[in-house]
Amino acid sequence: MADLADAEALSAVAEDSRSAAQAWRAVVGWVSIVLQVVIQILRFSPSSWAQLLSFVGLRDHPHSLLSSSAPFKPLPSDIPVEISMETPSSVTSAEELEKLTIVLDLDETLVCAYEASSLPDIVRIQAIDAGLKCFELECKTVDKDAEGREKINHVIVFERPGLEDFLEQTSKFADLVLFTAGLEGYARPLVDVIDVNNRFSLRLYRPSTVSTEHRHHVKDLSCLSKDLCRIVIVDNNPFSFLLQPLNGIPCVAFSAAQPFDEQLLKVVLPLLKQLSLEKDVRPVLYKQFYMPEWFEKHGIPFDNQSP
């Protein structure tokens, strides 16, 4: 009887060991799958770290260890309460105001572009299947081949969701200016495709940017007007408008990994409509984003932080 009991005990221990081993293999397999997904995400987009942190709930958590590294007060996923619910004293009828000027960045704001040779087919297929509009483009570069001829880059461009509708609606109440740090050989044919109705009254390319002691390729809005009360720039890179931080909307960067992005129509457009009724856009944008303080933290001083 004792031998039988010992045998049963050993059998139970062996069974427990097998169960534990199976559970451990399942955990290892799950971790392996997660790591593969993470690797694919990180290879998919230059802004993937931000997307990943946002996905796991770290990026926007007020008590996160990473919260101090947030680049600026992010543009919310819906209309800001203070913008949509309150009517500032400066709001007036559109007939009494000069037309608003909206300066729009190109890459990662209106579109995202990739060299065709470096874009995996699976990425393109998944983005198109999800509904993103895309087109291929041949762009001239500043590089020359061995015979001195201009090199041609083959580029795949993805339009940000709602782009056409966004341009149509904003052009009804504002003058649109395209301002990109990209070279004209790349940007001009691209904009020809997305702006077939010529809604941009002006296109500015890299030669129109300026260099400062802090950054190169800065977009100085004073080249458009000395009066900045009715000028706003939408750009995913806040350093682009470091000379006029009170006029900037730091939009969320766009990539092909975001086929269901709603920033243009659900977030940026309502804010721009509200700004079109402001005598001076700067107080509203200051209270929304506090960009001068953000630049101060990055070593870029700004004298008048309270408009």
Side-chain angles (χ1 to χ4, degrees):
M1 293 294 292
D3 292 341
L4 180 59
D6 291 342
E8 290 178 349
L10 290 173
S11 177
V13 170
E15 183 65 27
D16 290 342
S17 298
R18 283 194 296 271
S19 298
Q22 291 175 354
W24 177 248
R25 283 195 295 270
V27 171
V28 171
W30 182 85
V31 171
S32 176
I33 292 173
V34 171
L35 288 176
Q36 291 178 26
V37 171
V38 170
I39 291 172
Q40 290 298 319
I41 291 175
L42 296 180
R43 294 175 58 188
F44 193 63
S45 164
S47 59
S48 296
W49 275 115
Q51 296 171 26
L52 181 61
L53 293 177
S54 177
F55 175 76
V56 299
L58 289 176
R59 190 181 182 197
D60 295 326
H61 196 286
H63 303 296
S64 168
L65 294 176
L66 300 176
S67 61
S68 61
S69 64
F72 45 79
K73 183 179 178 182
L75 199 60
S77 59
D78 53 11
I79 304 173
V81 174
E82 62 268 28
I83 295 296
S84 61
M85 301 301 293
E86 298 181 3
T87 303
S89 58
S90 60
V91 170
T92 185
S93 64
E95 290 78 8
E96 300 175 14
L97 298 171
E98 291 184 8
K99 208 170 186 180
L100 184 69
T101 297
I102 300 175
V103 180
L104 296 171
D105 173 48
L106 183 60
D107 289 295
E108 297 188 14
T109 297
L110 301 181
V111 302
C112 61
Y114 305 85
E115 286 191 354
S117 60
S118 64
L119 182 66
D121 289 338
I122 186 63
V123 173
R124 184 198 310 193
I125 293 172
Q126 289 177 345
I128 294 175
D129 287 347
L132 280 185
K133 294 181 180 179
C134 77
F135 56 90
E136 296 188 18
L137 201 65
E138 290 186 352
C139 303
K140 295 180 180 179
T141 72
V142 295
D143 299 324
K144 306 287 184 179
D145 61 19
E147 299 179 0
R149 295 173 299 188
E150 290 182 328
K151 287 186 177 181
I152 302 296
N153 273 352
H154 296 272
V155 178
I156 297 177
V157 181
F158 293 89
E159 297 182 18
R160 194 164 201 162
L163 173 59
E164 184 177 353
D165 194 14
F166 174 79
L167 293 178
E168 180 181 359
Q169 292 197 48
T170 51
S171 65
K172 293 178 180 178
F173 61 84
D175 290 324
L176 303 185
V177 175
L178 188 284
F179 202 161
T180 175
L183 295 172
E184 184 173 357
Y186 154 73
R188 182 179 54 77
L190 194 163
V191 179
D192 285 342
V193 175
I194 66 173
D195 186 31
V196 293
N197 294 311
N198 295 315
R199 294 191 175 96
F200 289 114
S201 60
L202 179 64
R203 300 180 185 182
L204 300 174
Y205 306 102
R206 181 176 295 180
S208 296
T209 63
V210 300
S211 293
T212 72
E213 61 178 308
H214 304 289
R215 288 292 190 280
H216 298 296
H217 308 312
V218 176
K219 301 169 185 178
D220 185 0
L221 301 181
S222 66
C223 71
L224 300 174
S225 174
K226 298 301 180 183
D227 184 1
L228 300 176
C229 293
R230 300 277 296 162
I231 298 179
V232 59
I233 179 172
V234 182
D235 201 312
N236 69 288
N237 177 15
F239 289 110
S240 294
F241 53 83
L242 67 84
L243 292 177
Q244 292 91 18
L246 298 177
N247 294 81
I249 295 177
C251 74
V252 175
F254 168 64
S255 74
Q258 300 160 274
F260 306 109
D261 176 275
E262 296 183 323
Q263 287 288 301
L264 290 181
L265 295 180
K266 294 295 182 68
V267 182
V268 179
L269 179 60
L271 179 55
L272 291 174
K273 285 182 176 179
Q274 178 66 26
L275 293 174
S276 71
L277 301 177
E278 297 286 342
K279 293 180 180 178
D280 191 338
V281 302
R282 293 171 293 182
V284 175
L285 291 177
Y286 174 72
K287 293 177 182 178
Q288 185 65 28
F289 300 110
Y290 297 100
M291 290 306 299
E293 284 83 348
W294 182 83
F295 282 111
E296 288 277 359
K297 291 178 180 178
H298 287 75
I300 302 176
F302 183 71
D303 294 332
N304 183 19
Q305 294 189 4
S306 298

